[in-house]
Amino acid sequence: MLEDFIQFIQKENLFKPEDKILVTVSGGIDSMVLAKLFAQAKFNFGIAHVNFSLRGEESIADEVFVKKFAKTLKVPYHSIVFDTKAFAEKEKISTQMAARLLRYNWFEEIRQQEGYSYIATAHHLMDSAETVLINLTRGSGLAGFHGIPLKNGHVIRPLAFATQEQIFDLVVANRMAWREDSSNESTKYQRNFIRHEIVPKFQEMNPSFDQTLAQTSARIRAVEDWISDEFDAWKSTNCTTDTSNNQFVKLAELSSKEKVMQQRWLQGLHFHPDQIEQIIQHPADKVGKIFESPLFTLNIDRAQWVISPKDQSEFKPILIQEEDEDIQVGNKMLHIYVEEKTPDFKVPTDPNIACLDADSLTFPLEIRKAQEGDWFCPLGMNSKKLISDFLTDKKVPVNLKKKTNLLLSKGSVAWIVGQRIDNRFKVSEKTETVMIFEIK
């Protein structure tokens, strides 16, 4: 399979041997195989993992597993924790759509920050077939019928040639371990329903269904490539972006071609089909109308669209570097300072002040919202306690539980902000330097 993998990348011109690739790894069988192939091919790559906080301790275990795997391969590792449910609820979208939007936005951030050329995902032949069927149920333009593109901007799919059998054979040959996502078996999710209930029916009629659909998609892709060239030309004439990533789209007379181009642009910004029709049909001379997608806000303003990205910082952890002294946390300020521990040093009893052993902390620290499955060792105890149970015992109202912030060091909870510190980080007789965190 390694030779097929390398030949596919060369044939489709997915990337050059000298490019640095960000490989996305969930811990599942497909992404583990993708990373293994990158290592065997001796490509320059790093690994990115997202914890969506949707499966409690199972999500945490996935993160630990992938981190160890990256260490074994001796490649750079990047990870993040998202409050996916909160984002889905706020934007009124499914958790699957929320997870997709959050992860691809973050992958692109890491790509730019760390100098990666492309982002590689582990979609294979059957994934593409499933995507075509999903697009059929939702309603789709031409682009929906060519499945998952091999190359879409900075995102590439080097496993798109592979069948599920080939992937499993490689796992067996290399005696690889992987993590099984328990939610993959639930048919309440559309993709899983199609995978477990619909695809097998097609395979009964045609055992090579995935390959047949791939061939059909390839023919459609040729037409789509031509439209993409037209779209690129339209963008260069009508669309600009400023230094704050605000986008400006000039509105021309609404011909058939112009409508297709505008639809394609808005689809790429994740606007709903009903919204897209409303936006396109809205009179260009009537200013001030606002439309929102999960990631963008669009304002119709004097014969142009002004599109600005939404702030997603509330769904991401806040990073604290060792030199930081003041950090904005919501509408409060976290003050950080260091003191030498003297014989007369006394730990304040104020719950808004945390005194921690400086040597026990590993930077950067993180502040994020409490998630299902998070645990700590409450001060004075050496046993674990779920943070949800601790907050229940403290009679914290449900709506305030969702707003509870945690201070983490290397993934371990050091302080439930405004509540209690973890016993592992307390100031002890051996402490020489105290790091103090005060929330105001």
Side-chain angles (χ1 to χ4, degrees):
M1 186 175 177
L2 176 60
E3 186 177 341
D4 292 339
F5 175 70
I6 295 173
Q7 287 179 353
F8 180 75
I9 291 168
Q10 293 172 341
K11 175 188 173 187
E12 301 296 338
N13 194 27
L14 295 185
F15 62 89
K16 298 175 182 177
E18 64 270 20
D19 286 337
K20 181 181 173 185
I21 310 299
L22 182 65
V23 178
T24 63
V25 180
S26 66
I29 185 171
D30 303 332
S31 61
M32 291 293 288
V33 163
L34 178 62
K36 186 70 174 179
L37 286 168
F38 262 84
Q40 290 178 340
K42 295 181 171 53
F43 290 135
N44 183 9
F45 74 103
I47 284 176
H49 175 79
V50 180
N51 179 346
F52 294 108
S53 306
L54 294 173
R55 293 176 291 115
E57 291 195 12
E58 190 176 334
S59 293
I60 297 171
D62 289 348
E63 185 176 356
V64 172
F65 176 77
V66 176
K67 186 175 183 179
K68 288 181 178 178
F69 181 59
K71 188 175 182 180
T72 300
L73 296 180
K74 297 179 181 179
V75 298
Y77 173 74
H78 314 274
S79 67
I80 196 169
V81 178
F82 281 119
D83 191 344
T84 309
K85 285 184 178 178
F87 177 64
E89 289 171 3
K90 181 179 179 181
E91 299 299 335
K92 297 180 175 58
I93 56 178
S94 68
T95 53
Q96 290 72 43
M97 176 59 75
R100 182 180 184 277
L101 297 178
L102 288 171
R103 70 175 175 266
Y104 278 106
N105 252 27
W106 179 69
F107 292 153
E108 178 59 19
E109 287 179 18
I110 295 298
R111 187 194 69 80
Q112 294 184 29
Q113 291 170 9
E114 302 297 328
Y116 289 98
S117 302
Y118 294 101
I119 301 158
T121 68
H123 294 100
H124 53 72
L125 206 56
M126 185 55 76
D127 287 323
S128 189
E130 291 168 357
T131 298
V132 172
L133 295 178
I134 289 172
N135 290 337
L136 280 171
T137 65
R138 292 174 177 168
S140 172
L142 185 65
F145 291 93
H146 63 50
I148 302 174
L150 304 182
K151 198 171 189 177
N152 185 14
H154 291 105
V155 180
I156 57 175
R157 276 86 185 199
L159 271 188
F161 72 95
T163 65
Q164 291 173 308
E165 291 76 14
Q166 286 176 297
I167 290 171
F168 188 72
D169 287 346
L170 187 140
V171 166
V172 172
N174 289 272
R175 299 182 180 180
M176 293 175 60
W178 74 91
R179 295 278 301 172
E180 195 65 58
D181 184 341
S182 59
S183 65
N184 284 342
E185 298 304 314
S186 173
T187 54
K188 72 177 183 179
Y189 300 122
Q190 186 182 38
R191 182 174 288 275
N192 289 350
F193 178 78
I194 286 175
R195 177 176 300 162
H196 298 302
E197 302 291 337
I198 305 301
V199 169
K201 300 297 182 182
F202 280 98
Q203 289 174 322
E204 287 179 12
M205 294 185 289
N206 178 5
S208 301
F209 167 69
D210 53 349
Q211 295 174 334
T212 300
L213 196 54
Q215 292 167 357
T216 302
S217 296
R219 299 185 190 104
I220 295 173
R221 192 178 298 120
V223 179
E224 175 64 13
D225 288 343
W226 172 73
I227 294 176
S228 292
D229 290 340
E230 291 288 310
F231 181 61
D232 290 340
W234 177 84
K235 282 194 299 182
S236 65
T237 302
N238 295 277
C239 310
T240 57
T241 303
D242 66 14
T243 54
S244 299
N245 287 325
N246 298 307
Q247 301 171 15
F248 302 86
V249 181
K250 296 177 186 177
L251 299 180
E253 183 178 346
L254 195 61
S255 63
S256 297
K257 177 180 176 179
E258 182 70 14
K259 184 174 182 179
V260 170
M261 297 299 108
Q262 290 183 6
Q263 286 175 333
R264 190 181 183 99
W265 180 268
L266 294 170
Q267 286 168 351
L269 300 178
H270 307 289
F271 283 92
H272 188 274
D274 293 342
Q275 287 179 299
I276 291 175
E277 193 63 28
Q278 292 175 36
I279 293 169
I280 291 174
Q281 296 300 332
H282 193 277
D285 58 347
K286 291 188 178 180
V287 303
K289 182 67 174 178
I290 301 291
F291 296 88
E292 292 192 2
S293 79
L295 299 181
F296 296 92
T297 299
L298 182 150
N299 178 22
I300 298 177
D301 181 65
R302 288 177 286 276
Q304 69 174 348
W305 296 335
V306 181
I307 304 165
S308 55
K310 289 184 175 180
D311 182 11
Q312 294 178 316
S313 58
E314 63 181 293
F315 308 108
K316 301 178 183 178
I318 300 169
L319 296 183
I320 302 175
Q321 305 296 340
E322 194 164 4
E323 64 273 14
D324 290 336
E325 296 179 354
D326 295 289
I327 296 289
Q328 188 76 37
V329 182
N331 59 358
K332 295 184 178 182
M333 187 65 71
L334 179 67
H335 301 284
I336 308 166
Y337 51 100
V338 175
E339 286 189 14
E340 296 300 317
K341 187 190 169 214
T342 59
D344 58 347
F345 179 84
K346 290 185 179 179
V347 176
T349 57
D350 187 340
N352 290 312
I353 300 175
C355 294
L356 307 178
D357 185 324
D359 290 335
S360 68
L361 300 172
T362 302
F363 287 87
L365 305 177
E366 291 183 14
I367 290 183
R368 65 164 172 81
K369 293 288 188 292
Q371 307 290 350
E372 181 183 352
D374 284 333
W375 60 270
F376 80 135
C377 297
L379 181 63
M381 297 174 58
N382 290 315
S383 57
K384 296 196 305 186
K385 188 177 185 72
L386 285 174
I387 287 172
S388 57
D389 291 343
F390 172 81
L391 295 174
T392 298
D393 293 343
K394 295 280 289 184
K395 296 183 171 54
V396 176
V398 173
N399 61 326
L400 296 185
K401 282 184 180 180
K402 295 180 179 180
K403 297 181 179 181
T404 301
N405 285 309
L406 306 178
L407 175 70
L408 297 96
S409 171
K410 209 174 179 180
S412 296
V413 176
W415 181 32
I416 303 179
V417 178
Q419 296 283 348
R420 188 175 297 183
I421 70 168
D422 186 290
N423 198 62
R424 296 167 294 176
F425 297 87
K426 70 181 179 182
V427 174
S428 68
E429 293 180 358
K430 296 180 180 179
T431 299
E432 297 179 356
T433 307
V434 181
M435 185 158 282
I436 302 171
F437 301 82
E438 183 175 3
I439 191 84
K440 290 185 178 181

